[in-house]
Amino acid sequence: MNLIEVNHLSKSYDGFQLQDISFSLPAGFIMGYVGQNGAGKTTTLNAMMHLIVPDSGDASIDGVTYAKDPLRYRDSIGYIGDASFFPADFTAMDIENILRNFYPSFRRDTYREFLKKWNLSPKKKIKDFSRGMKVKLMFAAVLSRDTKVLILDEATNGLDPMMRKDVLDLLQEYICDGSRSIIFSTHIMEDLQDIADYIFFIDNGEKIFFEPKDELAEKFLLVKGGPEDLTDELKAHLSGIEKHAYGFTALFSTDSDYILPAALTTERPTIDQIIIHQIQERRH
């Protein structure tokens, strides 16, 4: 059974519609949730966490829906965003008292071990923490509970390279026993290239694809050529064509029977390149 099931989530706002989003994720895996600003990533995550009420659809974690058992459902989710969600004038000890009263699975000893490990002062006000310290405090709060799913919404934005590496290591540790999973919404595709198992691409509220990362990389070639190479015949077999002063780059489907001209250069695209050219194709 899949650990996470999202079924036909939809939500309408003035000028935007999240349209029938569905996916499933087994335990022990990381899903990268990608798209431009305003594509619907945060709306999806908020609907999953019931911070907003979807117009239709639902989600389940380990077979439990919010409607069936709201306390157990919420306790199974850990969330880390791009900004601290703790009150600025609170201390780490104030946070401990809140978590202990709000989440049944919170473990005080584990929380304090994280504070000690990461040199987070229990009595220092959160407004005086650095960006990296605030992220560590959010991880300490989440990892001190028996969560099943970790939801990250741009959590690595603004972190220095060393802190980002520490976060990615934490994510690998979180799923290492095969019982938990992660949904990682980010603009930093390099992070997903390293750790994601699946990629979900959303654009303008619509699901474009949901694929295993390794299979996605095998579906395309990145094609490069000069201006004289971009014939009408070739254009018909490319997608997301991006022209520049010295020629063009585009995606080519490996399922195509078309034989590319020998003058072209081809290579395997990164996840970032696939997403950029997919957006380029949809904008033209």
Side-chain angles (χ1 to χ4, degrees), residues 10-284:
S10 297
K11 181 69 177 180
S12 294
Y13 294 104
D14 185 23
F16 175 78
Q17 183 177 7
L18 186 72
Q19 306 173 54
D20 195 31
I21 300 299
S22 296
F23 62 84
S24 58
L25 189 64
F29 291 90
I30 298 175
M31 185 187 92
Y33 198 31
V34 302
Q36 292 185 293
N37 287 335
K41 302 187 301 297
T42 297
T43 300
T44 304
L45 301 181
N46 286 343
M48 285 184 63
M49 293 184 290
H50 276 263
L51 298 178
I52 61 173
V53 179
D55 297 334
S56 61
D58 63 8
S60 65
I61 297 174
D62 205 19
V64 177
T65 63
Y66 181 83
K68 180 179 179 180
D69 191 337
L71 184 60
R72 181 180 166 192
Y73 182 87
R74 280 188 165 163
D75 198 32
S76 69
I77 298 175
Y79 171 80
I80 299 174
D82 65 343
S84 173
F85 44 71
F86 299 129
D89 285 327
F90 276 34
T91 66
M93 293 310 297
D94 293 327
I95 301 305
E96 176 187 307
N97 292 330
I98 293 173
L99 295 172
R100 185 178 60 195
N101 292 323
F102 196 77
Y103 292 106
S105 68
F106 176 74
R107 301 182 302 276
R108 183 183 66 180
D109 290 346
T110 302
Y111 178 76
R112 293 186 177 183
E113 286 173 8
F114 277 119
L115 296 186
K116 183 177 180 180
K117 174 183 177 181
W118 291 330
N119 295 316
L120 299 176
S121 170
K123 298 181 179 181
K124 186 176 182 179
K125 289 189 176 181
I126 294 169
K127 66 182 180 182
D128 296 323
F129 280 12
S130 68
R131 160 72 173 151
M133 292 169 67
K134 290 175 182 176
V135 170
K136 287 179 178 179
L137 181 60
M138 288 190 285
F139 268 100
V142 166
L143 298 177
S144 299
R145 297 165 40 217
D146 292 330
T147 57
K148 287 286 188 179
V149 173
L150 185 57
I151 293 178
L152 306 180
D153 193 3
E154 307 294 347
T156 56
N157 283 1
L159 297 181
D160 63 63
M162 197 65 221
M163 183 61 204
R164 279 179 52 224
K165 181 184 181 301
D166 290 344
V167 167
L168 298 184
D169 288 345
L170 279 173
L171 301 187
Q172 296 283 23
E173 291 176 16
Y174 181 80
I175 63 167
C176 69
D177 67 357
S179 67
R180 296 177 286 197
S181 292
I182 296 170
I183 299 176
F184 189 178
S185 169
T186 181
H187 286 98
I188 305 174
M189 297 300 163
E190 182 182 347
D191 292 346
L192 299 182
Q193 195 79 35
D194 291 338
I195 67 168
D197 301 293
Y198 294 87
I199 301 292
F200 189 113
F201 173 41
I202 184 173
D203 191 47
N204 197 29
E206 178 184 358
K207 173 184 175 181
I208 307 305
F209 61 71
F210 175 46
E211 301 277 357
K213 182 192 69 180
D214 293 340
E215 291 182 19
L216 178 63
E218 295 293 324
K219 286 190 172 186
F220 299 101
L221 288 174
L222 186 69
V223 177
K224 300 178 181 180
E228 70 282 359
D229 298 317
L230 193 57
T231 63
D232 289 340
E233 180 185 11
L234 179 59
K235 286 180 182 179
H237 297 279
L238 301 178
S239 62
I241 299 171
E242 185 175 12
K243 298 179 183 179
H244 48 77
Y246 302 102
F248 72 93
T249 59
L251 291 181
F252 175 74
S253 173
T254 55
D255 290 334
S256 175
D257 294 328
Y258 181 74
I259 299 176
L260 291 169
L264 301 177
T265 300
T266 63
E267 61 188 57
R268 286 294 177 191
T270 64
I271 298 302
D272 200 7
Q273 290 167 331
I274 292 173
I275 298 302
I276 287 171
H277 285 282
Q278 289 280 354
I279 292 172
Q280 180 83 358
E281 179 70 15
R282 289 175 58 82
R283 296 298 182 267
H284 287 84

Side-chain angles (χ1 to χ4, degrees), residues 4-15:
I4 303 171
E5 294 276 0
V6 173
N7 302 300
H8 308 293
L9 277 183
S10 297
K11 181 69 177 180
S12 294
Y13 294 104
D14 185 23

